[in-house]
Short mmCIF file of all heavy atoms in Angstrom, two decimals:
data_model
loop_
_atom_site.label_atom_id
_atom_site.label_comp_id
_atom_site.label_asym_id
_atom_site.label_seq_id
_atom_site.Cartn_x
_atom_site.Cartn_y
_atom_site.Cartn_z
N HIS A 421 -12.34 1.45 3.27
CA HIS A 421 -13.50 1.29 2.48
C HIS A 421 -13.74 -0.17 2.17
O HIS A 421 -14.69 -0.58 1.50
CB HIS A 421 -13.23 2.02 1.13
CG HIS A 421 -11.97 1.58 0.42
ND1 HIS A 421 -10.83 2.36 0.43
CD2 HIS A 421 -11.59 0.56 -0.40
CE1 HIS A 421 -9.83 1.78 -0.27
NE2 HIS A 421 -10.49 0.75 -0.81
N GLU A 457 -20.85 -1.56 7.97
CA GLU A 457 -20.75 -0.23 7.55
C GLU A 457 -19.30 0.28 7.37
O GLU A 457 -18.62 0.43 8.40
CB GLU A 457 -21.51 0.71 8.58
CG GLU A 457 -22.08 1.93 7.98
CD GLU A 457 -22.84 2.84 8.91
OE1 GLU A 457 -23.47 2.40 9.91
OE2 GLU A 457 -22.56 4.05 8.80
N ASP A 459 -16.27 2.93 5.93
CA ASP A 459 -15.99 4.33 5.79
C ASP A 459 -16.55 5.08 7.17
O ASP A 459 -16.94 6.21 7.16
CB ASP A 459 -16.73 5.10 4.70
CG ASP A 459 -16.14 4.63 3.37
OD1 ASP A 459 -14.96 4.35 3.35
OD2 ASP A 459 -16.85 4.52 2.40
N LYS A 464 -14.04 9.58 15.44
CA LYS A 464 -14.18 10.74 14.47
C LYS A 464 -15.65 10.90 13.86
O LYS A 464 -16.36 11.84 14.11
CB LYS A 464 -13.28 10.63 13.28
CG LYS A 464 -11.74 10.80 13.73
CD LYS A 464 -11.51 12.31 14.02
CE LYS A 464 -9.96 12.45 14.53
NZ LYS A 464 -9.82 13.83 15.16
N SER A 465 -16.10 9.88 13.12
CA SER A 465 -17.42 9.98 12.53
C SER A 465 -18.44 9.82 13.57
O SER A 465 -19.53 10.41 13.51
CB SER A 465 -17.53 8.78 11.52
OG SER A 465 -16.41 8.60 10.64
N GLU A 475 -27.55 5.35 19.41
CA GLU A 475 -27.87 4.40 18.38
C GLU A 475 -28.36 3.02 18.91
O GLU A 475 -28.60 2.17 18.11
CB GLU A 475 -26.69 4.33 17.44
CG GLU A 475 -26.38 5.62 16.74
CD GLU A 475 -25.51 5.53 15.53
OE1 GLU A 475 -25.52 4.37 14.91
OE2 GLU A 475 -24.87 6.51 15.17
N GLY A 487 -2.44 -0.51 14.36
CA GLY A 487 -2.09 0.01 13.01
C GLY A 487 -1.21 1.15 12.84
O GLY A 487 -0.93 1.74 11.81
N LEU A 488 -0.69 1.53 14.05
CA LEU A 488 0.16 2.83 14.03
C LEU A 488 1.69 2.48 13.85
O LEU A 488 2.16 1.76 14.65
CB LEU A 488 -0.04 3.51 15.44
CG LEU A 488 0.19 4.97 15.55
CD1 LEU A 488 -0.95 5.75 14.69
CD2 LEU A 488 0.12 5.48 16.96
N PRO A 489 2.21 2.89 12.69
CA PRO A 489 3.53 2.47 12.39
C PRO A 489 4.69 3.12 13.20
O PRO A 489 4.48 4.29 13.66
CB PRO A 489 3.78 2.78 10.88
CG PRO A 489 2.82 4.00 10.71
CD PRO A 489 1.68 3.73 11.66
N GLU A 497 15.13 10.01 7.70
CA GLU A 497 14.10 9.10 7.58
C GLU A 497 12.78 9.94 6.82
O GLU A 497 11.88 9.26 6.40
CB GLU A 497 13.52 8.79 8.90
CG GLU A 497 13.18 7.28 8.97
CD GLU A 497 12.92 6.82 10.46
OE1 GLU A 497 13.19 7.63 11.34
OE2 GLU A 497 12.55 5.73 10.59
N GLN A 498 12.99 11.31 6.67
CA GLN A 498 11.94 11.94 5.94
C GLN A 498 12.19 12.06 4.41
O GLN A 498 11.45 12.54 3.64
CB GLN A 498 11.71 13.41 6.41
CG GLN A 498 11.51 13.42 7.83
CD GLN A 498 10.42 12.51 8.36
OE1 GLN A 498 9.37 12.42 7.76
NE2 GLN A 498 10.63 11.79 9.40
N MET A 500 12.52 11.35 0.37
CA MET A 500 11.59 10.59 -0.46
C MET A 500 12.06 9.18 -0.81
O MET A 500 13.32 9.06 -1.20
CB MET A 500 11.45 11.38 -1.81
CG MET A 500 10.54 12.56 -1.58
SD MET A 500 10.31 13.43 -3.05
CE MET A 500 11.83 14.15 -3.43
N VAL A 502 11.49 6.70 1.54
CA VAL A 502 11.32 6.06 2.75
C VAL A 502 9.85 5.88 3.15
O VAL A 502 9.08 6.86 3.17
CB VAL A 502 12.04 6.78 3.98
CG1 VAL A 502 11.88 5.97 5.21
CG2 VAL A 502 13.45 7.14 3.62
N PHE A 503 9.45 4.63 3.30
CA PHE A 503 8.05 4.26 3.56
C PHE A 503 7.94 3.45 4.79
O PHE A 503 8.92 2.72 5.20
CB PHE A 503 7.50 3.47 2.45
CG PHE A 503 7.64 4.13 1.04
CD1 PHE A 503 8.75 3.77 0.26
CD2 PHE A 503 6.70 5.15 0.58
CE1 PHE A 503 8.95 4.35 -0.90
CE2 PHE A 503 6.94 5.71 -0.60
CZ PHE A 503 8.01 5.34 -1.38
N SER A 504 6.78 3.55 5.40
CA SER A 504 6.43 2.50 6.47
C SER A 504 5.96 1.31 5.64
O SER A 504 5.41 1.40 4.51
CB SER A 504 5.36 3.03 7.44
OG SER A 504 4.16 3.07 6.80
N ASN A 506 3.49 -0.34 6.45
CA ASN A 506 1.98 -0.16 6.38
C ASN A 506 1.62 0.59 5.06
O ASN A 506 0.62 0.25 4.43
CB ASN A 506 1.54 0.48 7.67
CG ASN A 506 1.00 -0.40 8.69
OD1 ASN A 506 1.28 -1.62 8.59
ND2 ASN A 506 0.25 0.27 9.57
N GLU A 507 2.41 1.70 4.88
CA GLU A 507 2.01 2.47 3.68
C GLU A 507 2.32 1.72 2.40
O GLU A 507 1.38 1.68 1.46
CB GLU A 507 2.76 3.84 3.58
CG GLU A 507 2.46 4.57 2.34
CD GLU A 507 3.36 5.83 2.07
OE1 GLU A 507 4.06 6.24 2.98
OE2 GLU A 507 3.31 6.28 0.97
N THR A 510 -0.25 -1.14 2.19
CA THR A 510 -1.60 -0.67 1.88
C THR A 510 -1.82 -0.24 0.39
O THR A 510 -2.79 -0.41 -0.25
CB THR A 510 -1.91 0.48 2.76
OG1 THR A 510 -1.81 0.07 4.16
CG2 THR A 510 -3.34 1.08 2.61
N ARG A 511 -0.78 0.46 -0.09
CA ARG A 511 -0.78 0.90 -1.59
C ARG A 511 -0.98 -0.41 -2.41
O ARG A 511 -1.78 -0.39 -3.31
CB ARG A 511 0.42 1.66 -1.94
CG ARG A 511 0.38 3.17 -1.44
CD ARG A 511 1.68 3.88 -1.69
NE ARG A 511 1.80 5.16 -1.20
CZ ARG A 511 1.03 6.31 -1.79
NH1 ARG A 511 0.43 6.10 -2.97
NH2 ARG A 511 1.04 7.38 -1.27
N MET A 515 -5.08 -0.95 -2.16
CA MET A 515 -5.25 -0.02 -3.29
C MET A 515 -4.80 -0.58 -4.64
O MET A 515 -5.03 0.01 -5.74
CB MET A 515 -4.43 1.31 -3.12
CG MET A 515 -4.82 1.97 -1.83
SD MET A 515 -6.67 2.24 -1.34
CE MET A 515 -7.14 3.20 -2.73
N THR A 523 -5.54 3.64 -9.79
CA THR A 523 -4.92 4.93 -9.93
C THR A 523 -4.00 5.26 -8.86
O THR A 523 -3.54 6.43 -8.75
CB THR A 523 -6.01 6.04 -10.09
OG1 THR A 523 -7.08 5.71 -9.25
CG2 THR A 523 -6.47 6.05 -11.47
N THR A 524 -3.86 4.42 -7.74
CA THR A 524 -2.95 4.61 -6.72
C THR A 524 -1.59 4.35 -7.07
O THR A 524 -1.23 3.22 -7.61
CB THR A 524 -3.45 3.73 -5.43
OG1 THR A 524 -4.66 4.13 -5.13
CG2 THR A 524 -2.45 4.02 -4.23
N PRO A 525 -0.68 5.32 -7.00
CA PRO A 525 0.66 5.07 -7.53
C PRO A 525 1.50 4.31 -6.29
O PRO A 525 1.15 4.39 -5.05
CB PRO A 525 1.23 6.49 -7.60
CG PRO A 525 0.48 7.31 -6.62
CD PRO A 525 -0.84 6.60 -6.55
N ASN A 597 18.26 16.03 -4.70
CA ASN A 597 16.80 16.27 -4.85
C ASN A 597 15.96 15.68 -3.80
O ASN A 597 14.64 15.69 -3.92
CB ASN A 597 16.40 15.69 -6.33
CG ASN A 597 17.03 16.35 -7.47
OD1 ASN A 597 17.19 17.56 -7.52
ND2 ASN A 597 17.56 15.49 -8.39
N ASN A 645 -3.66 2.53 17.63
CA ASN A 645 -4.00 3.80 17.35
C ASN A 645 -4.71 4.43 18.55
O ASN A 645 -5.72 3.82 19.03
CB ASN A 645 -4.91 3.87 16.12
CG ASN A 645 -5.06 5.19 15.45
OD1 ASN A 645 -5.23 6.15 16.27
ND2 ASN A 645 -5.09 5.27 14.28
N ARG B 90 -23.09 10.71 8.32
CA ARG B 90 -22.22 10.62 9.54
C ARG B 90 -21.16 11.77 9.56
O ARG B 90 -20.88 12.24 10.55
CB ARG B 90 -21.49 9.35 9.51
CG ARG B 90 -22.44 8.20 9.97
CD ARG B 90 -21.73 6.95 10.55
NE ARG B 90 -22.59 5.87 10.79
CZ ARG B 90 -23.15 5.68 11.93
NH1 ARG B 90 -23.00 6.62 12.98
NH2 ARG B 90 -23.96 4.64 12.10
N ALA B 94 -20.84 15.02 12.38
CA ALA B 94 -19.80 15.10 13.33
C ALA B 94 -18.75 16.15 13.06
O ALA B 94 -17.91 16.57 13.84
CB ALA B 94 -19.10 13.74 13.30
N ARG B 104 -13.20 8.35 -2.50
CA ARG B 104 -12.72 7.54 -3.54
C ARG B 104 -13.80 7.56 -4.47
O ARG B 104 -14.96 7.36 -4.23
CB ARG B 104 -12.48 6.09 -2.90
CG ARG B 104 -11.40 5.24 -3.65
CD ARG B 104 -11.09 4.07 -2.74
NE ARG B 104 -12.31 3.16 -2.74
CZ ARG B 104 -12.40 2.07 -3.29
NH1 ARG B 104 -11.38 1.52 -3.96
NH2 ARG B 104 -13.47 1.39 -3.11
N ASP B 108 -11.70 1.39 -8.62
CA ASP B 108 -10.29 1.43 -8.93
C ASP B 108 -9.58 2.78 -8.39
O ASP B 108 -8.40 2.92 -8.68
CB ASP B 108 -10.15 1.29 -10.49
CG ASP B 108 -10.56 0.04 -10.96
OD1 ASP B 108 -10.21 -0.95 -10.29
OD2 ASP B 108 -11.25 -0.04 -12.05
N GLY B 109 -10.38 3.56 -7.78
CA GLY B 109 -9.89 4.99 -7.48
C GLY B 109 -8.84 4.95 -6.32
O GLY B 109 -8.77 4.05 -5.55
N GLU B 110 -8.14 6.01 -6.29
CA GLU B 110 -7.25 6.37 -5.27
C GLU B 110 -7.96 7.11 -4.08
O GLU B 110 -8.99 7.73 -4.38
CB GLU B 110 -6.16 7.23 -5.83
CG GLU B 110 -5.06 7.53 -4.77
CD GLU B 110 -3.86 8.41 -5.40
OE1 GLU B 110 -4.04 8.78 -6.59
OE2 GLU B 110 -2.99 8.68 -4.72
N ARG B 111 -7.58 7.01 -2.88
CA ARG B 111 -8.10 7.71 -1.76
C ARG B 111 -7.50 9.04 -1.83
O ARG B 111 -6.17 9.18 -1.74
CB ARG B 111 -7.69 6.95 -0.43
CG ARG B 111 -8.44 5.66 -0.39
CD ARG B 111 -7.87 4.93 0.86
NE ARG B 111 -8.28 5.59 2.10
CZ ARG B 111 -9.32 5.22 2.96
NH1 ARG B 111 -10.05 4.20 2.55
NH2 ARG B 111 -9.61 5.82 3.99
N GLU B 136 -7.32 11.45 -10.55
CA GLU B 136 -8.47 11.14 -9.65
C GLU B 136 -9.38 12.34 -9.60
O GLU B 136 -10.74 12.27 -9.75
CB GLU B 136 -7.98 10.79 -8.13
CG GLU B 136 -9.01 10.06 -7.41
CD GLU B 136 -9.31 8.71 -7.96
OE1 GLU B 136 -8.54 8.05 -8.65
OE2 GLU B 136 -10.44 8.12 -7.57
N ASP B 151 -16.72 6.19 -1.98
CA ASP B 151 -16.51 6.29 -0.61
C ASP B 151 -16.31 7.66 -0.15
O ASP B 151 -15.64 8.54 -0.96
CB ASP B 151 -15.23 5.49 -0.23
CG ASP B 151 -15.34 4.10 -0.48
OD1 ASP B 151 -15.90 3.40 0.34
OD2 ASP B 151 -14.81 3.64 -1.61
N GLY B 154 -14.89 10.26 7.02
CA GLY B 154 -14.57 11.44 7.72
C GLY B 154 -15.53 11.66 8.95
O GLY B 154 -16.42 10.88 9.16
N PRO B 155 -15.48 12.84 9.51
CA PRO B 155 -14.45 13.85 9.38
C PRO B 155 -13.17 13.40 9.90
O PRO B 155 -13.08 12.63 10.95
CB PRO B 155 -14.98 15.03 10.17
CG PRO B 155 -15.76 14.34 11.26
CD PRO B 155 -16.41 13.18 10.67
N GLY B 157 -8.83 14.22 10.89
CA GLY B 157 -7.99 15.30 11.51
C GLY B 157 -8.73 16.09 12.60
O GLY B 157 -9.84 15.73 13.00
N THR B 292 -6.03 8.05 8.66
CA THR B 292 -6.43 7.79 9.94
C THR B 292 -5.20 7.45 10.89
O THR B 292 -5.26 6.91 12.02
CB THR B 292 -7.27 6.48 10.03
OG1 THR B 292 -6.52 5.33 9.47
CG2 THR B 292 -8.58 6.63 9.22
N GLY B 293 -3.91 7.67 10.46
CA GLY B 293 -2.74 7.56 11.21
C GLY B 293 -2.07 6.21 11.06
O GLY B 293 -1.08 5.77 11.79
N MET B 294 -2.39 5.35 10.08
CA MET B 294 -1.88 3.98 10.00
C MET B 294 -0.67 3.77 8.98
O MET B 294 -0.13 2.79 8.94
CB MET B 294 -2.97 2.92 9.73
CG MET B 294 -3.67 3.06 8.42
SD MET B 294 -4.58 1.67 8.21
CE MET B 294 -3.61 0.80 6.90
N CYS B 295 -0.36 4.93 8.28
CA CYS B 295 0.77 4.66 7.34
C CYS B 295 1.85 5.69 7.36
O CYS B 295 2.98 5.32 7.05
CB CYS B 295 0.21 4.59 5.95
SG CYS B 295 -0.07 6.08 5.06
N ALA B 297 2.30 8.29 5.42
CA ALA B 297 2.68 8.90 4.31
C ALA B 297 2.60 10.35 4.36
O ALA B 297 3.36 11.12 3.60
CB ALA B 297 1.65 8.51 3.20
N ARG B 299 3.57 12.13 6.79
CA ARG B 299 4.45 12.68 7.93
C ARG B 299 5.11 13.96 7.52
O ARG B 299 5.62 14.09 6.38
CB ARG B 299 5.33 11.62 8.51
CG ARG B 299 6.30 11.10 7.55
CD ARG B 299 7.10 9.86 8.14
NE ARG B 299 8.18 9.50 7.37
CZ ARG B 299 8.23 8.73 6.28
NH1 ARG B 299 7.00 8.24 5.72
NH2 ARG B 299 9.36 8.41 5.64
N VAL B 306 8.61 14.49 14.36
CA VAL B 306 7.87 13.87 13.18
C VAL B 306 6.39 13.99 13.61
O VAL B 306 6.06 13.38 14.62
CB VAL B 306 8.35 12.65 12.82
CG1 VAL B 306 7.40 11.95 11.69
CG2 VAL B 306 9.85 12.64 12.36
N GLN B 325 11.12 20.70 3.32
CA GLN B 325 11.00 19.13 3.33
C GLN B 325 9.49 18.76 2.88
O GLN B 325 9.39 17.86 2.12
CB GLN B 325 11.16 18.70 4.80
CG GLN B 325 11.23 17.25 4.86
CD GLN B 325 11.19 16.78 6.33
OE1 GLN B 325 10.19 16.85 6.99
NE2 GLN B 325 12.39 16.28 6.87
N ASN B 328 9.21 19.29 -0.83
CA ASN B 328 9.96 18.14 -1.50
C ASN B 328 9.21 17.01 -1.60
O ASN B 328 9.02 16.19 -2.71
CB ASN B 328 11.32 17.90 -0.81
CG ASN B 328 12.34 17.60 -1.81
OD1 ASN B 328 12.16 17.73 -2.87
ND2 ASN B 328 13.51 17.38 -1.22
N ARG B 329 8.57 16.48 -0.39
CA ARG B 329 7.88 15.16 -0.33
C ARG B 329 6.69 15.19 -1.16
O ARG B 329 6.21 14.11 -1.78
CB ARG B 329 7.46 14.87 1.08
CG ARG B 329 8.66 14.51 2.02
CD ARG B 329 8.17 14.03 3.35
NE ARG B 329 7.23 12.99 3.39
CZ ARG B 329 7.58 11.74 3.23
NH1 ARG B 329 8.82 11.30 3.17
NH2 ARG B 329 6.68 10.82 3.31
N TYR B 333 5.27 11.34 -6.28
CA TYR B 333 4.67 10.56 -7.33
C TYR B 333 4.44 11.40 -8.46
O TYR B 333 3.45 11.05 -9.33
CB TYR B 333 3.41 9.86 -6.68
CG TYR B 333 3.66 8.92 -5.77
CD1 TYR B 333 3.25 9.25 -4.35
CD2 TYR B 333 4.16 7.73 -5.99
CE1 TYR B 333 3.50 8.27 -3.43
CE2 TYR B 333 4.56 6.76 -4.98
CZ TYR B 333 4.12 7.14 -3.67
OH TYR B 333 4.31 6.21 -2.69
N GLU B 336 4.48 9.69 -11.96
CA GLU B 336 3.43 8.68 -11.96
C GLU B 336 2.06 9.37 -12.12
O GLU B 336 1.13 8.87 -12.88
CB GLU B 336 3.47 7.92 -10.71
CG GLU B 336 2.54 6.82 -10.55
CD GLU B 336 2.98 5.64 -11.20
OE1 GLU B 336 4.04 5.63 -11.85
OE2 GLU B 336 2.28 4.40 -11.02
N LEU B 340 -0.76 9.03 -15.24
CA LEU B 340 -2.14 8.68 -15.03
C LEU B 340 -3.14 9.79 -15.52
O LEU B 340 -4.17 9.48 -16.01
CB LEU B 340 -2.40 8.42 -13.58
CG LEU B 340 -1.80 7.18 -13.05
CD1 LEU B 340 -1.73 7.05 -11.48
CD2 LEU B 340 -2.63 5.85 -13.64
#
Side-chain angles (χ1 to χ4, degrees):
Chain A
H421 57 264
E457 210 183 315
D459 295 327
K464 289 287 180 190
S465 313
E475 299 196 21
L488 209 66
E497 224 168 358
Q498 308 307 312
M500 282 187 290
V502 183
F503 307 94
S504 72
N506 263 13
E507 178 188 349
T510 299
R511 283 180 183 279
M515 305 310 298
T523 41
T524 300
N597 297 317
N645 193 321
Chain B
R90 285 204 186 273
R104 215 164 59 110
D108 294 319
E110 185 178 1
R111 296 169 66 96
E136 200 66 22
D151 299 279
T292 61
M294 64 171 256
C295 85
R299 66 193 190 275
V306 175
Q325 184 189 74
N328 215 6
R329 287 184 57 82
Y333 297 107
E336 183 83 350
L340 287 166

